[in-house]
Amino acid sequence: SLNGKGSIEIKNGSFTGVDVRYQINRASSLLGKENANIQETKPPQTQFNQLTAKFNIKNGVLDKNHLHQ
């Protein structure tokens, strides 16, 4: 069976297809809180400086409990 631990670190990347900052601002506006009038990026994307993840593999199944941005 496949068992072990690992980690990944990605620097200066982005997720394409969703602008997280815009979506949080939009949800806040829908809840009646202040709106900073942030425009969604085109195409939608979320940039990050660093993304790290730690994971365990037990019997060939990957468990990813620790994801940090």
Side-chain angles (χ1 to χ4, degrees):
S1 66
L2 179 62
N3 296 308
K5 295 181 178 185
S7 64
I8 297 172
E9 181 177 12
I10 303 170
K11 293 189 176 196
N12 301 319
S14 66
F15 294 113
T16 302
V18 63
D19 184 338
V20 173
R21 185 175 178 194
Y22 169 77
Q23 294 299 334
I24 290 171
N25 186 57
R26 185 170 168 231
S28 180
S29 178
L30 290 172
L31 294 171
K33 302 196 177 195
E34 278 192 48
N35 186 351
N37 292 324
I38 296 172
Q39 298 296 314
E40 185 174 27
T41 58
K42 301 290 182 194
Q45 69 176 349
T46 300
Q47 295 182 341
F48 57 87
N49 294 328
Q50 180 176 354
L51 180 71
T52 60
K54 294 181 182 179
F55 56 87
N56 295 311
I57 301 173
K58 186 173 182 180
N59 298 323
V61 178
L62 184 115
D63 176 24
K64 54 176 183 8
N65 287 334
H66 301 93
L67 178 65
H68 304 282
Q69 182 177 354

